Amino acid sequence: MTDFFERKKQQLNIALNNVQKQAVLQTEGPLLLLACPGSGKTTTMIMRIGYLIEEKHVDPRRIKAITFSRASARDMTERFSRFFPEREPIDFSTIHSLAFTIARSYLATSGTTFDLIEGGGKGRQSVNKAFLLKGIYKEVLKEDCTDDELASLSTFISSIKNSMIPLEQWEELKGPVDKAGRMARKYEQYKSRTPGHLLLDFDDMLTIAEQGLRQDEQLAERFRKLYDYLLTDESQDTSLVQHKIVEHLVAHHGNLCVVADDDQSIYTWRGAEPDYLLEFKKVYPDAQVLMMERNYRSSKEIVELTSKFIKRNQKRYPKDMHTENKAKEPIYIRQLDDSKRQLEYVTYELLGESNLNEVAILFRNNSSSTMYVNELHRRGIPFYMKDADDKFFSHWIVEDILNFMRLSFNTERKDIFTKIVMKMNVFISRSMLTTFENTATTGNVFDAIIQTIDLKDSQVKKLKDYKKGYDVIPDMRPERVIQLIRNDLGYEAALKSRAEKFGYRFDHLLGILDTLEGIASPLRTMVEFANQLKELEQAVQQAKFQPAENAVTLSTFHSAKGLEFRRVFMIDLLKGIIPSEEDEGDTATLEEARRLFYVGMTRAKERLELLSYRQDEGKPKEDSRFLNEVRGLLLKPSKVGNEPKSVKVSKASIPVNPNGIDDGNELVVGAIVKHRVFGQGEITVRDGTEIHIQFGEMEKRLDLETVLSLRLLEMVTL
Ligand code: ATP
Ligand code: MG
């Protein structure tokens, strides 16, 4: 029988390197594999499982491999069957599903019943998490919460549970909305108000499982006995409560393999605890820590760029990613005219790709995906979406626009009119509307409301204008209809006041309208438009659950973690999107955004394309600062700085700052520097001989040679 590694090399053409082999062979005891993207962490983990089964004859059921999400569980299962086709697939599960099993057992021992209040299944009919939080928000702050506030409150609660902050301290915690701590506390109290019965969200599964394992020795023993080997991938995104669950489970044998890359930690906002890895040896004193820095995935260009890029983060475990892979293609950075040109460019390129499985379009926000879905669907290009944004199609703005259109088919439909008249910026109050609804009227709804309600002249005038507007709608193309609704029927103005009143982001709402216009653009009739929306919604569902064979992947940066593609397009790389305004808030969030950008770039094997655009819908757009950083890093190493021949300033007259920068590579666009006279500023432009620096209100252009030879600038670390 040949050696395991030799066999795998022949079968798979993957020859593990020495560190990878060591990680496979070292099956007993705790092991932390801290490694760069594409260094073979997941590969090594799968090999280790195969080794345990094939060489150490471990029963596959006694191995527990924990993954971050259901999607990565699927990815691992697929890789395992590729590596070990003759073996039964082992159970790769998420920490949540493992915790659910433990929590269920624990609750059963005390006879406690429960209902789940998020996700599908049991309990969906009774109380729902979002509904409950909305009610509590209203009770505490005496106003309705917006979808954004609801989402951030929910994330906040998730984060404090994952960080294991004791309930007694919740009330005092500062959160994303006023009195968030108090709301969290109330939420928790509400869920356990019925004796013997609990309402549980997903995070409670973790908390209860951990509590069960800690307090119920019999339960802990039962679960410890189930598994002899545990492995966790992407552990930089594991939260404290999740780490604790694992600690309880390996308490006897310590056979734990933890695989992580702190540079890819992108979920601290919801409670991930990458610092735990730095403490790993404290928790497991006899742990082995192995580093892997060789990247097998990406071309030389991509590895060199991304390795330099991530070093701009201050808070990280030092690593030097490198590769033996060949140079392939340059990194492409394209600033298109606007988002439509960006879309055209990407789709045009996709049409020339024969193997779409090897291509991904990555974006920061799911809202970017709808136009791509529309265009790909229209052109018959198959696509796969990991976390499909089907919420777009049920958004209230989409419903409003359809109602505005429906009314044009029959302007006597009072039922439709009453749904939208408050969104026409005519300032009809709710009581007026009720009066109108309760009064029997016939004929055109605009005439009817003018006759029924006592309105101001300006209101009457508007409604009469709208009636005229409605006369021409039936003959218009749907794109024009949407423009008319937005501008001539007062919808956009009404949205603006709604946004101010309820705290919605107006830009986001306009973005939805722009997307609808984009979808409508090639269509001739409103019926076609309504059908197209239905069709797209179905296409998105299908792309999620039954993806076509040869399909391009559409994914957020977050969900692309762990995956790889020959060619990657990163789109919408704009200021305000990545990093977002909130990300710019402090160094920690900015560094997390930089890691997210890094995760995106390190998905590419051969061709990485970074796309942005100059303006959109008439508004100028600025490139992401990360894109500028990349531009700076891609500049050829500067030859200046050694022998400054043309510098006229006498060296002796200026004391040379020992901390001053003398390496041209450090002066990249986006870098914050300090000048002894002008103070702190940001590099905004760099060309062959000059750099432009924005010092407060003042922009200075400095000669590069002089700056470097006299070390006039110091790097400022934020
Ligand atoms: P990420 O941090 O993105 O999750 P990773 O460290 O888990 O990356 P893998 O996905 O395991 O990396 O591996 C990246 C690529 O490198 C895969 O295509 C894998 O097949 C290949 N690879 C890993 N190790 C080797 C090796 N020793 N020889 C050849 N190819 C390898
Ligand atoms: Mg991986």
Side-chain angles (χ1 to χ4, degrees):
M1 188 172 135
T2 49
D3 164 59
F4 175 79
F5 295 117
E6 192 52 39
R7 218 164 55 233
K8 287 294 135 193
K9 185 174 155 192
Q10 282 163 16
Q11 287 168 355
L12 304 167
N13 199 23
I14 295 184
L16 295 197
N17 66 32
N18 286 342
V19 187
Q20 292 176 327
K21 280 185 186 164
Q22 196 182 337
V24 170
L25 295 173
Q26 173 119 26
T27 54
E28 312 305 297
L31 173 73
L32 169 62
L33 199 52
L34 198 60
C36 298
S39 60
K41 292 185 295 296
T42 308
T43 308
T44 305
M45 194 170 144
I46 307 253
M47 287 289 191
R48 187 178 154 101
I49 296 168
Y51 178 81
L52 283 169
I53 299 169
E54 294 199 344
E55 301 298 305
K56 301 202 84 180
H57 308 293
V58 174
D59 179 347
R61 284 168 304 182
R62 304 199 59 79
I63 303 171
K64 189 77 194 163
I66 298 170
T67 67
F68 176 73
S69 64
R70 263 187 257 163
S72 53
R74 268 200 304 275
D75 179 50
M76 302 269 267
T77 312
E78 188 272 319
R79 285 204 209 196
F80 184 81
S81 41
R82 198 151 32 92
F83 283 18
F84 302 96
E86 62 285 1
R87 303 272 153 202
E88 287 286 300
I90 80 143
D91 181 22
F92 292 98
S93 58
T94 61
I95 185 84
H96 276 95
S97 71
L98 175 62
F100 191 22
T101 315
I102 300 170
R104 233 181 355 217
S105 288
Y106 179 53
L107 294 175
T109 53
S110 60
T112 311
T113 55
F114 67 90
D115 275 326
L116 264 182
I117 58 167
E118 67 179 320
K122 226 183 144 202
R124 196 159 42 152
Q125 307 81 348
S126 51
V127 185
N128 156 293
K129 180 178 179 183
F131 182 76
L132 184 54
L133 283 176
K134 273 186 192 168
I136 292 172
Y137 188 100
K138 181 132 197 182
E139 185 192 324
V140 173
L141 292 181
K142 311 277 178 273
E143 56 185 49
D144 290 319
C145 71
T146 64
D147 291 351
D148 283 354
E149 283 160 350
L150 178 65
S152 38
L153 180 62
S154 180
T155 307
F156 167 73
I157 295 176
S158 181
S159 154
I160 53 183
K161 288 184 182 176
N162 273 282
S163 309
M164 300 181 78
I165 297 175
L167 192 62
E168 310 81 73
Q169 294 172 20
W170 287 20
E171 181 107 22
E172 305 307 321
L173 292 176
K174 291 237 175 324
V177 293
D178 195 22
K179 301 203 170 55
R182 174 170 312 166
M183 289 192 247
R185 182 93 207 239
K186 273 186 177 290
Y187 168 71
E188 224 37 41
Q189 279 162 346
Y190 182 90
K191 292 198 296 100
S192 50
R193 68 187 183 144
T194 313
H197 185 78
L198 292 173
L199 299 176
L200 301 179
D201 62 26
F202 287 152
D203 300 304
D204 292 331
M205 293 300 157
L206 301 170
T207 314
I208 291 175
E210 195 281 325
Q211 189 192 341
L213 293 171
R214 183 161 32 88
Q215 293 180 346
D216 183 341
E217 196 42 42
Q218 274 185 345
L219 178 93
E221 270 308 303
R222 190 141 51 84
F223 279 94
R224 274 178 199 140
K225 282 197 185 131
L226 284 181
Y227 310 113
D228 297 327
Y229 296 91
L230 268 89
L231 305 94
T232 70
D233 196 8
E234 303 279 2
S235 311
Q236 72 278 0
D237 287 321
T238 302
S239 68
L240 187 62
V241 68
Q242 295 170 347
H243 281 300
K244 291 285 170 200
I245 291 174
V246 173
E247 274 180 36
H248 293 305
L249 291 175
V250 300
H252 288 341
H253 49 67
N255 294 335
L256 170 67
C257 171
V258 167
V259 173
D261 175 9
D262 58 312
D263 286 332
Q264 295 186 70
S265 151
I266 50 177
Y267 283 98
T268 59
W269 53 278
R270 68 174 199 212
E273 197 97 0
D275 287 354
Y276 180 95
L277 303 172
L278 307 179
E279 306 273 300
F280 195 71
K281 268 197 148 308
K282 283 199 192 137
V283 184
Y284 302 100
D286 54 342
Q288 274 272 347
V289 180
L290 295 177
M291 299 277 279
M292 300 198 309
E293 296 175 312
R294 176 171 168 188
N295 180 310
Y296 287 90
R297 172 181 297 147
S298 308
S299 70
K300 194 163 161 23
E301 291 88 347
I302 296 170
V303 172
E304 282 180 359
L305 166 73
T306 51
S307 170
K308 283 191 222 153
F309 177 82
I310 199 61
K311 285 186 182 160
R312 303 194 54 130
N313 270 5
Q314 301 296 316
K315 190 163 179 263
R316 65 186 290 262
Y317 211 91
K319 282 181 243 79
D320 253 318
M321 180 165 68
H322 57 88
T323 189
E324 306 284 309
N325 289 352
K326 292 203 177 65
K328 288 272 182 194
E329 292 188 63
I331 313 291
Y332 296 88
I333 301 184
R334 291 179 210 282
Q335 192 189 40
L336 286 307
D337 280 342
D338 56 26
S339 65
K340 286 201 186 84
R341 300 286 101 65
Q342 181 189 253
L343 175 63
E344 271 169 25
Y345 169 72
V346 174
T347 26
Y348 179 79
E349 289 293 305
L350 291 180
L351 289 170
E353 283 286 344
S354 52
N355 191 358
L356 290 171
N357 282 330
E358 278 291 336
V359 185
I361 304 169
L362 308 183
F363 34 81
R364 170 66 180 88
N365 299 323
N366 240 329
S367 55
S368 299
S369 65
T370 312
M371 278 316 290
Y372 283 76
V373 165
N374 181 52
E375 193 61 16
L376 298 178
H377 181 69
R378 201 171 71 81
R379 289 177 181 265
I381 301 174
F383 58 94
Y384 165 54
M385 284 181 90
K386 285 191 83 185
D387 37 9
D389 183 18
D390 34 13
K391 285 205 278 312
F392 176 87
F393 300 99
S394 51
H395 195 281
W396 51 269
I397 291 193
V398 179
E399 199 45 34
D400 281 350
I401 294 294
L402 288 173
N403 278 331
F404 270 91
M405 289 182 170
R406 280 182 195 121
L407 186 65
S408 72
F409 290 103
N410 180 355
T411 44
E412 297 187 4
R413 288 281 301 269
K414 204 168 159 180
D415 55 332
I416 299 176
F417 181 68
T418 49
K419 284 187 189 151
I420 51 174
V421 66
M422 309 249 304
K423 296 179 176 171
M424 290 181 170
N425 207 34
V426 198
F427 306 107
I428 304 278
S429 68
R430 178 138 314 271
S431 63
M432 286 175 180
L433 189 63
T434 314
T435 314
F436 179 57
E437 277 177 309
N438 294 337
T439 313
T441 60
T442 53
N444 180 291
V445 282
F446 293 98
D447 291 336
I449 196 167
I450 292 171
Q451 282 155 17
T452 318
I453 310 287
D454 190 15
L455 297 165
K456 290 192 198 125
D457 290 350
S458 58
Q459 290 172 305
V460 173
K461 181 174 179 317
K462 261 191 189 167
L463 288 165
K464 283 187 174 166
D465 287 347
Y466 291 174
K467 185 186 168 199
K468 277 194 209 130
Y470 260 95
D471 286 343
V472 292
I473 288 183
D475 302 323
M476 280 180 173
R477 293 173 75 97
E479 183 183 15
R480 232 346 251 123
V481 177
I482 298 173
Q483 288 162 359
L484 185 121
I485 295 168
R486 289 175 79 157
N487 304 315
D488 304 343
L489 298 182
Y491 187 62
E492 213 174 282
L495 273 192
K496 191 162 200 297
S497 13
R498 274 182 95 78
E500 278 159 16
K501 187 165 167 209
F502 298 117
Y504 296 126
R505 268 189 263 145
F506 186 47
D507 262 11
H508 175 67
L509 304 184
L510 291 184
I512 297 176
L513 287 170
D514 294 343
T515 303
L516 288 174
E517 270 187 37
I519 293 172
S521 154
L523 306 175
R524 280 172 302 127
T525 67
M526 287 185 281
V527 173
E528 273 179 29
F529 173 70
N531 287 340
Q532 178 74 1
L533 287 180
K534 270 204 212 98
E535 231 180 275
L536 288 179
E537 189 171 7
Q538 278 163 9
V540 165
Q541 285 298 320
Q542 176 139 13
K544 193 167 162 183
F545 298 112
Q546 298 166 301
E549 278 292 299
N550 183 22
V552 54
T553 296
L554 299 189
S555 167
T556 56
F557 299 151
H558 278 101
S559 296
K561 199 174 64 155
L563 304 181
E564 57 186 22
F565 305 90
R566 187 183 62 73
R567 182 174 187 182
V568 167
F569 297 94
M570 286 170 69
I571 62 166
D572 295 348
L573 303 181
L574 299 172
K575 181 175 178 185
I577 293 187
I578 173 93
S580 67
E581 261 175 51
E582 295 89 66
D583 294 336
E584 301 260 13
D586 65 45
T587 315
T589 49
L590 187 62
E591 294 208 341
E592 179 138 323
R594 192 178 277 110
R595 293 194 291 269
L596 189 57
F597 202 90
Y598 174 72
V599 166
M601 291 198 289
T602 51
R603 301 308 95 203
K605 294 195 221 170
E606 292 181 13
R607 185 165 168 139
L608 172 63
E609 301 199 33
L610 307 174
L611 309 182
S612 68
Y613 40 85
R614 267 176 219 104
Q615 54 104 15
D616 211 26
E617 307 289 334
K619 280 180 245 126
K621 298 281 175 189
E622 276 181 57
D623 278 355
S624 156
R625 64 151 82 200
F626 300 141
L627 197 54
N628 287 331
E629 288 177 14
V630 167
R631 280 197 182 97
L633 292 170
L634 290 175
L635 279 178
K636 292 257 174 331
S638 161
K639 289 197 196 80
V640 293
N642 302 332
E643 286 299 320
K645 293 191 184 79
S646 60
V647 182
K648 295 200 177 72
V649 192
S650 151
K651 273 189 184 177
S653 64
I654 300 173
V656 172
N657 174 0
N659 298 322
I661 300 165
D662 61 354
D663 177 359
N665 289 321
E666 287 189 62
L667 296 178
V668 295
V669 171
I672 306 293
V673 289
K674 199 168 116 196
H675 187 281
R676 50 199 283 281
V677 180
F678 306 123
Q680 192 164 313
E682 178 171 357
I683 301 180
T684 51
V685 176
R686 178 178 159 167
D687 61 26
T689 55
E690 269 192 351
I691 47 173
H692 303 193
I693 306 178
Q694 191 72 39
F695 295 103
E697 301 289 325
M698 165 181 69
E699 197 205 46
K700 283 275 164 202
R701 295 173 175 216
L702 304 178
D703 178 70
L704 196 56
E705 272 194 54
T706 315
V707 160
L708 292 172
S709 61
L710 299 179
R711 299 189 176 194
L712 296 182
L713 297 173
E714 229 180 288
M715 190 58 74
V716 176
T717 44
L718 295 175

